[in-house]
């Protein structure tokens, strides 16, 4: 017989213990949470978890707490499997309501590895123990035993343990973490945090340090923290009998939540988060009849035992990761974490990671529900134990589980209906916006049509009016006018300085890049070496959208096949009032590009290009403001802010300017002057040399 002071044998055989462990835990993290729960039950204020995963086939896991530790009699209790620790006064040494009940949590260490050490410090004594049930050390029929030892393997936690007055340290060797990649280990912090309901105050704490290949070996414990994306909920129901357990996010101001919404300005629907009390007994209840006389709603008791539903339930604004993270960066949806879950806690420990599927609810927004609910009636000391064999769920036929479902189901329905109401509001806003855009689009189409007809003086006014009426009435029917208004800058690459000037002056007024098709913009990705691909891009921008075409004509323009293609496409699809021009010289204006407007020429009589009052004013009145007016029509349709026009100041007479020592440049728009000086003027020497040379480049 073994010496009772140096050995303590488990009450089950090694084969029975292995089978029990496999049935209890589905992965190392669930087993690890049991070891943490043991420390918390022992009254620990700090539980440290250390994982050395530098060699995942032979990892080390260590759990160290500063709880009450274990005496020699506690070691005997440790090896007794199935002992109800709540009924043993000597086991209830740490907390009033321990999480554990059946005395099987010690199997967690055996699940992780057949070889581990226990160091423990109790107020009466300290001791060290080893269990070694590796292959060849023990047969399946034998009972494993803890053997007293003088030393345990050294780890980076030696200093931390030496500073601990009372507590327990479990060092587990040879843990196989193969198959658990960096993402799984990185998600461990959140998974461990979700295993428990702890006060939001500093104590007790669970701290984690994972050593991995390529990571610093310095001790780096971090508190495990829940990463619930509270900022992504549109509505939250909550109730806490003890406010120490209420998340901090439910105590502050209410955030504005954004929901992706096609068809409304900006594509975003915003609403203020609603925070409402969680009504324990909602007005509309189903399932009470199944509970019979065991339930007393007036006293809120079941079989004479009080019950309370506490915690929070919320409905997400969106479950699309990018949009949800814009509301709260903590949002995650991957194989390691799914926000569509209601976590159930009993006595502060996770009892079921998701009871949402058990509610039997369907609908678009059932997968938008997340919550954390406590219902301690499921593990009441005075009622039968209904936990399943793996201790990770409950007997679904028990009336207490039916009561829980009956309490939660109407709350979830309420949240889903609230999210449905938001969806309906978004749909109405989108419909209203569509109607407004169509009305505005038809108005601008009618105005543009009248301007176009004004260029055909050979058509009698009465005929023009009649045509205008017929076409305008037609557009009021099923035909929808174009709603995307754009500017198309057609130019040769050699004339880039002038095209860039126009592009940047428009953007200086707030025009977006997507409102201006300009292939020479630095960093633009529209340019293609494939001529067919480029032609397709040009065709879409000229014909599919309501596009105002701007031609920058020059000898370079005339020599470019792309420019001629763009010019032909614009000429064939535009009314005479729907394109603008800026010309380097008269001789380079294509004969088919004329709309009866005054022509502005950049080259002066001396062959130079400088910013004269005539060029400055033409840039404003003949190019920039017509472009801005065009874009503003589109912005009016889609409900965006209007762009500010450029203002041309009237020049005083030469005599008046002389009297005040002024020059024409003093009356130029400062933005135009700045852009001209930065973009155009430095490029002119080389540009003019090439332009006037025997050949010029496209």
């Amino acid at each position: 017989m073994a010496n009772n002071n140096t050995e303590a044998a488990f009450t089950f055989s090694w084969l029975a213990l292995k089978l029990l462990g496999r049935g209890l835990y589905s992965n190392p993290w669930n087993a690890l949470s049991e070891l943490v729960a043991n420390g918390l039950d022992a009254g620990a204020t700090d539980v440290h978890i250390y994982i050395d995963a530098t060699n995942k086939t032979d990892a080390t896991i260590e759990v160290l707490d500063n709880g009450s530790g274990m005496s020699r009699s506690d070691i005997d209790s440790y090896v007794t499997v199935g002992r109800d620790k709540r009924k043993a006064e000597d086991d209830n040494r740490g907390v009033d309501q321990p999480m554990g009940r059946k005395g099987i949590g010690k199997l967690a260490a055996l699940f992780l590895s057949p070889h581990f050490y226990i160091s423990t410090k109790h107020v009466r004594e300290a001791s060290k123990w080893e269990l070694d049930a590796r292959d060849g050390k023990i047969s399946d029929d034998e009972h494993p035993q803890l053997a007293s030892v003088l030393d345990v393997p050294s780890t980076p936690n030696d200093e931390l343990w030496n500073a601990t007055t009372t507590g327990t340290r479990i060092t587990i060797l040879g843990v196989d973490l193969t198959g658990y990649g960096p993402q799984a280990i990185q998600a461990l912090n959140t998974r461990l945090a979700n295993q428990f309901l702890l006060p939001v105050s500093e104590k007790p704490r669970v701290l984690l340090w994972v050593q991995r290949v390529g990571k610093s070996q310095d001790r780096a414990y971090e508190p495990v923290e829940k990463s619930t994306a509270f900022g992504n909920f549109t509505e939250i129901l909550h109730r806490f009998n003890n406010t120490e357990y209420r998340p901090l996010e439910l105590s502050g101001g209410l955030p504005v939540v954004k929901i992706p919404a096609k068809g409304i300005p900006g594509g975003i629907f915003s609403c203020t988060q609603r925070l409402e009390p969680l009504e324990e007994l909602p007005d509309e209840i189903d399932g009470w009849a199944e509970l019979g006389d065991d339930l007393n709603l007036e006293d809120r008791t079941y079989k004479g035992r009080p019950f309370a539903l506490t915690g929070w339930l919320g409905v997400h604004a969106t479950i699309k990761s990018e949009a949800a993270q814009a509301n709260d960066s903590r949002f995650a949806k991957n194989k390691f974490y799914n926000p569509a879950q209601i976590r159930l806690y009993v006595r502060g420990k996770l009892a079921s990671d998701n009871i949402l599927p058990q509610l039997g609810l369907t609908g678009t927004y059932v997968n938008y529900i997340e919550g954390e609910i406590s219902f301690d009636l499921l593990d009441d000391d005075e009622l039968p134990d209904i936990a399943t064999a793996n201790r990770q769920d409950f007997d679904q036929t028990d009336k207490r589980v039916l009561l829980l479902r009956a309490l939660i189901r109407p709350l979830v329905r309420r949240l889903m209906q609230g999210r449905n109401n938001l969806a309906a509001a978004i749909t109405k806003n989108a419909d209203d916006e569509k109607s407004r855009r169509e009305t505005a689009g038809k108005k601008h189409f009618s105005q543009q049509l009248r301007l176009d007809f004004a260029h055909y003086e050979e058509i009698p006014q009465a005929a023009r009016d009649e045509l205008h009426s017929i076409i305008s009435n037609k557009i009021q029917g099923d035909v929808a006018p174009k709603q995307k208004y754009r500017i198309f800058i057609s130019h040769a690459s050699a004339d880039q300085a002038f095209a860039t000037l126009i592009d940047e002056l428009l953007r200086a007024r707030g025009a977006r890049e997507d409102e201006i098709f300009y292939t020479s913009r630095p960093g633009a990705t529209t340019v293609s070496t494939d001529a067919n691909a480029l032609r397709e891009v040009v065709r879409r921008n000229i014909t599919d959208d309501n596009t105002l075409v701007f031609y920058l004509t020059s000898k370079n323009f005339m020599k470019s096949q792309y420019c001629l293609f763009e010019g032909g496409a614009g000429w064939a699809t535009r009314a005479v009032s729907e394109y603008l021009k800026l010309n380097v010289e008269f001789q380079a204006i294509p004969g088919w590009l004329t709309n009866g407007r005054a022509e502005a020429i950049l080259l002066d009589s001396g062959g130079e290009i400088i910013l004269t009052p005539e060029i400055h004013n033409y840039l404003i009145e003949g190019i920039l403001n017509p472009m801005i007016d065009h874009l503003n029509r589109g912005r009016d349709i889609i409900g965006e802010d209007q762009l500010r026009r450029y203002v041309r100041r009237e020049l005083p007479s030469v005599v008046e300017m002389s009297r005040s020592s002024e020059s024409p440049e003093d009356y130029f728009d400062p933005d135009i002057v700045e852009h001209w000086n930065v973009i155009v003027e430095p490029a002119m020497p080389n540009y003019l040399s090439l332009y006037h040379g025997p050949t010029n480049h496209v």
Side-chain angles (χ1 to χ4, degrees), residues 44 71 75 101 123 176 232 257 325 424 453 637 694:
S71 65
I75 293 293
R101 180 172 187 175
V123 290
D176 185 6
N232 191 49
V257 184
Q325 288 169 0
F453 279 149
I637 292 172

Side-chain angles (χ1 to χ4, degrees), residues 345-511:
Y345 295 85
V346 174
R347 289 176 174 256
K349 186 172 182 292
L350 187 69
S352 175
D353 59 5
N354 189 13
I355 63 170
L356 185 58
Q358 301 174 17
L359 303 181
L361 298 175
T362 59
T364 303
Y365 297 108
V366 68
N367 289 327
Y368 286 52
I369 300 296
E370 184 174 3
E372 293 187 340
I373 291 297
S374 291
F375 197 58
D376 290 347
L377 182 70
L378 295 177
D379 196 13
D380 191 290
D381 291 344
E382 304 302 320
L383 297 174
D385 183 13
I386 59 172
T388 56
N390 64 6
R391 314 303 293 176
Q392 295 177 44
D393 212 332
F394 295 92
D395 178 3
Q396 299 301 303
T397 63
D398 188 88
K399 289 184 178 180
R400 281 175 281 172
V401 176
L402 300 181
L403 172 60
L404 174 64
R405 292 178 190 165
L407 291 170
I408 296 180
R409 195 177 289 119
L411 300 171
V412 173
R413 283 202 190 104
R414 170 183 167 177
L415 291 170
M416 291 171 60
Q417 184 57 51
R419 186 60 183 81
N420 268 318
N421 292 342
L422 287 176
I426 292 172
T427 299
K428 184 180 185 306
N429 282 6
D431 289 343
D432 291 345
E433 177 63 17
K434 180 182 178 182
S435 177
R436 191 198 64 77
R437 290 187 182 190
E438 289 178 352
T439 300
K442 290 169 183 177
K443 178 190 72 174
H444 288 296
F445 174 84
S446 178
Q447 293 172 347
Q448 184 63 47
L449 185 62
R450 188 172 295 281
L451 291 174
D452 291 340
F453 279 149
H455 287 82
Y456 295 93
E457 296 180 357
E458 67 275 17
I459 302 176
Q461 184 64 46
R464 279 185 271 171
D465 291 343
E466 184 177 359
L467 283 172
H468 180 272
S469 177
I470 292 171
I471 297 173
S472 296
N473 288 335
K474 178 65 176 177
I475 208 70
Q476 299 301 321
D478 296 332
V479 181
K482 298 174 182 178
Q483 296 186 8
K484 291 183 179 179
Y485 280 61
R486 299 177 187 270
I487 302 297
F488 189 105
I489 299 178
S490 177
H491 69 291
S493 59
D495 301 327
Q496 178 181 349
F498 307 113
T500 299
L501 173 72
I502 301 303
D503 175 56
E504 295 212 6
L505 284 172
L506 287 174
R507 291 196 289 135
R509 281 296 193 261

